[in-house]
Amino acid sequence: MRLPTKQLINKIEHLSKDLSPAQLAHFLDIIDAMTALVEEAGTVGLDSNSKTDTHSVALPSVVH
């Protein structure tokens, strides 16, 4: 499901408003990791000569 940007921001704000500072930090780490994955996915297959290993994405450690 794809949401318009404004609606997505509203949902993120609603979800994050009741989080503790530690929970918010973890939540933002997850958002950052997802953003990096989306950006990387957008470049997959664009450079057929690249030997980049797309499976070795470094993600921040998130413990719940």
Side-chain angles (χ1 to χ4, degrees):
M1 174 173 86
R2 184 175 175 130
L3 299 174
T5 302
K6 187 174 183 175
Q7 188 177 2
L8 178 61
I9 291 169
N10 286 338
K11 286 185 177 285
I12 291 170
E13 287 175 344
H14 178 73
L15 286 171
S16 63
K17 72 178 182 176
D18 296 326
L19 299 177
S20 70
Q23 290 173 320
L24 183 58
H26 289 297
F27 180 76
L28 294 174
D29 286 344
I30 292 167
I31 296 296
D32 286 343
M34 291 175 61
T35 300
L37 288 173
V38 168
E39 289 174 354
E40 181 180 340
T43 64
V44 172
L46 295 179
D47 183 8
S48 61
N49 295 330
S50 176
K51 301 282 184 184
T52 305
D53 181 9
T54 60
H55 298 293
S56 63
V57 177
L59 298 177
S61 175
V62 179
V63 178
H64 294 274

